């Protein structure tokens, strides 16, 4: 049950079911503690308490709206809160949700509930205002690759990914709170900045149409203040839930991947790391991220950064894979020779047990011929076909 701010008074309002409310929502980058930080729920409450106490004593501060008290002109209230309330109010919204002011972070239960429902809070909003503090009002073309819009810090933050994807209507605002554009009008620029297709940005294609690996790649170059938020900020992107445990470090991202494996039958979650292009039967070309001593090993990884090369990975169901494989090769491989296991994973304390698609490469005429040729031309006369790895598992 989230709390909202009344845009006319700055009063907190509880709404049991946000799907029945009409409200605006704010997306922004937080100021660092060195810059003064953001005004919190408890700080706003203290302003209310001081103002009401002074009113009782006859020293009324602030202003009134429709004979109600308001803190929106109080000198101690954050300029950001004042501004978003003004923008939303002038657009006709009575309620606005702001993450810094509307979450009581001293309550672990409330924080956990909000983190797990935040994607839906943005999805259900009537409009999302994205405030870009580092984009000044100017005549600069936001679509130019050197523009302040394209270089904005907002594009590189972890939490802002879901804040871009979830809402239907998005309005970008400059540092002076003036209109810059909408998600629709800036979709080409946003696609370049995020590597997310316009169909997904505009809601024409569902998030689930993108593979797990591809969705991970959207977060690969984003940063969060707390390392755990690399995982928590992606919960809504994959429609999974986790209990947040600040202090668990990179274990949070491991838990996220385990939850995804339990929920989504998509083995592209294992398609992390360097890309490998099979340029011929005999040679593979490595590019993007080169393998080194720091390259992770195992099935899952500790950070979305390992998915930076996965933006073009597509997930195929077993039946789709079979139809493409049989359609792409000679009739030397009959479809009946391939089994189609269901793609599922079982998480155990000793590891992950999974079923995958595996084919015997020697059944493909062109690959069998290459193996035989290599044996015949090898200086080691004793090499046999069984010395070659000839089974390929495909996720």
């Amino acid at each position: 049950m989230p709390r909202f701010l009344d845009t006319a008074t700055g009063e907190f309002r509880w709404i049991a079911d946000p799907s029945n409310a009409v409200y605006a929502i704010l997306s922004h980058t937080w100021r660092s503690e060195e810059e003064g930080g953001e005004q919190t729920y408890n700080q706003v409450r203290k302003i209310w308490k001081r103002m009401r106490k002074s009113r009782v004593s006859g020293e009324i501060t602030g202003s009134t709206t429709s004979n109600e008290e308001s803190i929106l002109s109080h000198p101690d209230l954050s300029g950001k809160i004042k501004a978003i309330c003004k923008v939303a109010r002038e657009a006709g919204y009575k309620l606005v949700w702001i993450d810094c002011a509307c979450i009581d972070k001293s309550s672990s239960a409330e924080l956990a509930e909000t983190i797990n429902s935040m994607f839906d809070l943005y999805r259900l909003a009537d409009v999302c205002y994205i405030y870009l503090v580092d984009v000044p009002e100017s005549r600069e073309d936001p679509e130019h690759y050197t523009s302040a819009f394209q270089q904005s810090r907002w594009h590189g933050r972890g939490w802002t990914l879901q804040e871009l994807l979830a809402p239907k209507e998005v309005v970008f605002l400059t540092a002076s709170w003036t209109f810059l554009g909408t998600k629709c009008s800036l979709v080409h620029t946003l696609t370049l900045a995020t590597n997310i297709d316009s169909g997904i940005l505009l809601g024409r294609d569902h998030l689930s149409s993108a593979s797990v690996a591809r969705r991970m790649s959207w977060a690969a170059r984003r940063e969060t203040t707390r390392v755990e938020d690399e995982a928590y900020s992606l919960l809504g992107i994959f429609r999974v839930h986790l209990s947040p445990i600040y202090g668990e470090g990179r274990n949070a991202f491991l838990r996220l991947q385990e939850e995804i494996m339990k929920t989504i039958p998509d083995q592209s979650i294992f398609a992390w790391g360097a890309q490998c292009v099979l340029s011929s039967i005999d040679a593979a070309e490595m590019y993007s991220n080169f393998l080194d001593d720091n390259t992770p090993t195992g099935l899952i990884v500790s950070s979305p950064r390992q998915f930076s090369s996965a933006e073009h990975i597509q997930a195929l169901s077993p039946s789709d894979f079979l139809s493409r494989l049989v359609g792409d090769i000679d009739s030397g491989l009959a479809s009946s020779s391939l089994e189609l296991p269901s793609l599922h994973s079982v998480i155990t304390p000793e590891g992950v047990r999974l079923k995958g698609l595996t084919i015997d490469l020697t059944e493909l005429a062109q690959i069998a011929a290459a193996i035989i040729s290599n044996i015949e031309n090898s200086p080691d006369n004793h090499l046999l076909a069984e010395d070659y790895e000839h089974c390929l598992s495909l996720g």
Side-chain angles (χ1 to χ4, degrees):
M1 186 169 72
R3 68 170 64 80
F4 295 82
L5 276 174
D6 187 311
T7 60
T9 65
E11 184 74 87
F12 289 113
R13 307 287 185 198
W14 285 95
I15 303 293
D17 184 359
S19 65
N20 295 326
V22 177
Y23 62 92
I25 200 166
L26 176 68
S27 172
H28 64 117
T29 54
W30 284 42
R31 294 190 305 171
S32 66
E33 292 301 323
E34 292 74 20
E35 297 170 316
E38 297 292 340
Q39 202 158 49
T40 65
Y41 165 70
N42 285 324
Q43 289 171 334
V44 175
R45 282 188 62 204
K46 287 178 181 178
I47 295 173
W48 269 111
K49 287 181 179 178
R50 289 199 303 269
M51 196 186 78
R52 285 168 176 159
K53 184 178 179 179
S54 65
R55 180 169 184 170
V56 170
S57 65
E59 300 172 8
I60 303 176
T61 58
S63 62
T64 60
T65 302
S66 302
N67 298 319
E68 295 182 14
E69 19 176 52
S70 168
I71 64 166
L72 295 181
S73 60
H74 196 285
D76 293 339
L77 187 67
S78 159
K80 186 179 288 187
I81 294 176
K82 291 178 181 178
I84 187 58
C85 284
K86 181 176 185 291
V87 168
R89 183 174 63 251
E90 291 179 349
Y93 296 103
K94 295 181 179 180
L95 298 172
V96 65
W97 191 85
I98 310 169
D99 54 2
C100 56
C102 292
I103 307 172
D104 181 3
K105 290 191 173 183
S106 65
S107 167
S108 57
E110 182 177 328
L111 180 60
E113 179 182 352
T114 304
I115 285 175
N116 278 277
S117 63
M118 197 175 295
F119 185 91
D120 285 331
L121 273 173
Y122 280 88
R123 180 180 61 85
L124 295 169
D126 204 55
V127 62
C128 175
Y129 291 108
I130 296 178
Y131 175 59
L132 305 175
V133 69
D134 51 359
V135 179
E137 182 178 3
S138 71
R139 295 184 179 181
E140 181 182 58
D141 180 3
E143 295 199 3
H144 195 275
Y145 72 95
T146 62
S147 68
F149 175 71
Q150 291 226 33
Q151 304 299 319
S152 175
R153 177 172 173 261
W154 183 89
H155 295 297
R157 302 303 295 168
W159 285 103
T160 59
L161 176 60
Q162 67 174 0
E163 295 164 11
L164 173 67
L165 292 173
K168 296 182 291 291
E169 298 293 331
V170 170
V171 174
F172 290 92
L173 302 173
T174 67
S176 54
W177 296 91
T178 56
F179 178 81
L180 179 68
T182 66
K183 181 159 66 170
C184 184
S185 67
L186 294 170
V187 67
H188 175 68
T189 304
L190 290 168
T191 297
L192 294 176
T194 63
N195 289 323
I196 303 173
D197 290 350
S198 60
I200 288 176
L201 286 172
L202 298 178
R204 294 194 300 261
D205 300 325
H206 197 273
L207 272 174
S208 60
S209 67
S211 70
V212 167
R214 189 171 161 213
R215 280 178 270 178
M216 287 290 191
S217 76
W218 301 338
R221 295 174 178 85
R222 292 173 177 261
E223 297 179 351
T224 57
T225 303
R226 299 290 299 267
V227 66
E228 296 88 352
D229 286 335
E230 288 184 352
Y232 305 156
S233 63
L234 297 177
L235 296 180
I237 304 292
F238 295 102
R239 309 304 285 170
V240 297
H241 300 279
L242 286 179
S243 296
I245 308 172
Y246 283 102
E248 67 174 324
R250 297 212 172 273
N251 186 62
F253 193 69
L254 301 179
R255 288 201 296 135
L256 171 65
Q257 292 167 96
E258 290 175 356
E259 200 61 33
I260 291 171
M261 284 188 279
K262 295 175 187 175
T263 308
I264 306 175
D266 176 358
Q267 292 184 359
S268 74
I269 193 171
F270 307 123
W272 51 265
Q275 289 189 4
C276 175
V277 174
L278 192 64
S279 55
S280 72
I281 295 299
D282 305 309
E285 175 189 354
M286 302 299 297
Y287 69 95
S288 185
N289 296 321
F290 291 93
L291 297 175
D292 56 34
D293 293 338
N294 297 319
T295 301
T297 58
L299 279 177
I300 56 179
V301 288
S302 60
S303 167
R305 290 182 181 85
Q306 293 299 325
F307 288 90
S308 60
S309 298
E311 61 190 82
H312 300 299
I313 298 292
Q314 297 182 33
L316 289 178
S317 67
S319 56
D320 286 339
F321 169 74
L322 177 61
S323 64
R324 292 194 184 194
L325 183 64
V326 172
D328 288 345
I329 62 175
D330 324 340
S331 52
L333 179 64
S335 62
S336 59
S337 67
L338 285 179
E339 293 185 4
L340 298 179
S342 59
L343 300 182
H344 76 277
S345 306
V346 179
I347 311 296
T348 74
E350 296 182 350
V352 180
R353 183 177 66 194
L354 57 88
K355 285 185 178 179
L357 299 172
T358 304
I359 60 174
D360 188 339
L361 296 178
T362 59
E363 294 187 18
L364 305 180
Q366 62 208 52
I367 294 181
I371 291 175
I372 293 171
S373 174
N374 282 346
I375 292 172
E376 291 175 346
N377 296 326
S378 171
D380 278 333
N381 300 338
H382 64 279
L383 271 179
L384 302 175
E386 51 263 33
D387 292 317
Y388 285 79
E389 298 292 346
H390 56 83
C391 284
L392 178 66
S393 178
L394 300 136

